[in-house]
Amino acid sequence: MTVNMPIEKIEPKVKEKQIYSEQINFQFLTREFELQLILTKDHLEIKLYDLKNEDVYQNKIKNENFSQIILNKTLKTIKLLPDNFLLYDQVAKHFLFIFGLKEIILKATGKKKNKDLINFKIEMLTKESQQLKKRIEILEKNQKTILQDFEQRFQEIANGLSKKQMGGLFKMGGKPVCQWDTSNAESVVFSENNLQVTAINGNFWRGVRGDKILAHGVTTIKIKMDKLHLGNGGIMVGVVDSKYKGINYNSAKGHMLYSSNGYYYQNGQPRRMLCKPLNQNDIVSVIVDMDRKELTFKLNDKTLGTAWSDLPKKVLLAIDLYYQKCSASILF
């Protein structure tokens, strides 16, 4: 239904000199409109023509530092996105025109006062507030659910572990379980506060150990393959009896995972394949359960199963590097 609105004509007694005048045509509510802006020194005159029904909606406001640049940009934006600037109030039967931060009622009868605009703004703000409140409630509910799930999972872990085991899994202050022992290692360099080790001075096996003896509880240490060499002679990682020196995988009761073929080695001999060959940036978890004397490996958090169930009484984290520039790091 077409709403016929009488034309409100604004005819100044003295003709004002135009500083800026521009018009655009656009579609809104499936109707064709023409919008015209006329700027003078004192006023901004706005005319909106409904080309189909030949209705005119207009208003004239005091010029509050409107510039030609602002008006020109606004017209271009209105032409592209008229829905963002023009709202039609079906109840009051008039347009609400949003011009930047200044709202202007383009009315035909001249009887609609600012009260209509204020009521409309209050209604819109109330709806937005209700929507925002619902979103906050949903977010708070989700946050509460996530925290409850985390607490439950942590409690389940804690209930299944002894205090000694908990001490092996978690360290206060974000410090690693152990670092590399720098006292007896040869042909390697240490960096990152003795957390990273790199092979130097040629291609041959060299062994490095951790700086803490593992004798009780469960300890998990993650080793990142920083740089690997393709083919045989890469990196071996695992544990070794604390009594023995020399190359770890060749030592009595050395237990190692070999990066080049994914095999588990015990006392220098391959026992069985645990995984595919490792790639650079892979992370190997070495899980040492000294209460059960078990050694388990994980690759990128995927379990590879128990490698050995008869560990020595005391072991050290161990790593062997073959090629020059091969390197690995203990992660926090």
Side-chain angles (χ1 to χ4, degrees), residues 148-164:
Q148 287 176 342
D149 290 344
F150 175 80
E151 290 173 354
Q152 183 178 352
R153 287 197 298 270
F154 185 86
Q155 192 61 47
E156 288 173 354
I157 294 171
N159 289 340
L161 297 172
S162 66
K163 289 184 178 179
K164 290 183 180 179

Side-chain angles (χ1 to χ4, degrees), residues 53-248:
N53 300 322
E54 297 184 352
D55 289 335
V56 180
Y57 310 90
Q58 65 180 19
N59 196 15
K60 188 175 182 181
I61 62 171
K62 186 177 180 181
N63 181 3
E64 295 181 354
N65 297 322
F66 292 115
S67 70
Q68 298 180 43
I69 296 176
I70 291 174
L71 295 175
N72 192 265
K73 287 184 177 179
T74 302
L75 282 172
K76 290 180 180 179
T77 308
I78 291 173
K79 188 172 183 178
L80 291 173
L81 302 167
D83 290 358
N84 289 359
F85 285 82
L86 295 164
L87 293 172
Y88 186 74
D89 191 329
Q90 299 288 349
V91 178
K93 304 298 182 185
H94 64 75
F95 280 94
L96 297 175
F97 179 71
I98 303 174
F99 181 83
L101 297 178
K102 189 173 182 67
E103 291 87 354
I104 304 162
I105 301 178
L106 293 171
K107 53 190 181 296
T109 61
K111 297 178 182 179
K112 302 295 179 183
K113 303 299 181 184
N114 288 339
K115 181 181 177 182
D116 297 297
L117 179 59
I118 292 171
N119 290 338
F120 178 80
K121 288 172 68 176
I122 290 174
E123 182 182 349
M124 293 292 289
L125 288 172
T126 302
K127 289 181 180 179
E128 290 178 4
S129 176
Q130 291 172 348
Q131 292 174 351
L132 181 60
K133 185 177 179 180
K134 289 180 180 178
R135 289 186 64 187
I136 291 173
E137 289 175 351
I138 292 172
L139 289 172
E140 288 177 342
K141 184 178 179 181
N142 290 342
Q143 182 189 44
K144 186 176 180 180
T145 302
I146 291 170
L147 288 174
Q148 287 176 342
D149 290 344
F150 175 80
E151 290 173 354
Q152 183 178 352
R153 287 197 298 270
F154 185 86
Q155 192 61 47
E156 288 173 354
I157 294 171
N159 289 340
L161 297 172
S162 66
K163 289 184 178 179
K164 290 183 180 179
Q165 289 172 325
M166 287 291 288
L169 284 174
F170 304 102
K171 292 292 180 181
M172 298 301 292
K175 294 182 180 179
V177 174
C178 73
Q179 295 175 305
W180 297 119
D181 181 3
T182 63
S183 59
N184 297 312
E186 297 180 357
S187 299
V188 295
V189 293
F190 299 94
S191 58
E192 303 296 332
N193 294 322
N194 297 335
L195 293 177
Q196 185 181 61
V197 61
T198 303
I200 59 172
N201 300 332
N203 302 326
F204 52 85
W205 285 114
R206 68 217 74 195
V208 184
R209 288 163 169 74
D211 65 348
K212 289 183 176 62
I213 292 177
L214 308 179
H216 303 285
V218 180
T219 303
T220 300
I221 304 169
K222 292 188 176 183
I223 308 295
K224 180 172 174 286
M225 302 292 108
D226 294 322
K227 188 169 184 179
L228 286 172
H229 192 284
L230 297 177
N232 294 328
I235 294 177
M236 285 191 169
V237 61
V239 296
V240 67
D241 192 319
S242 62
K243 295 179 182 179
Y244 290 90
K245 307 296 181 182
I247 305 304
N248 300 305

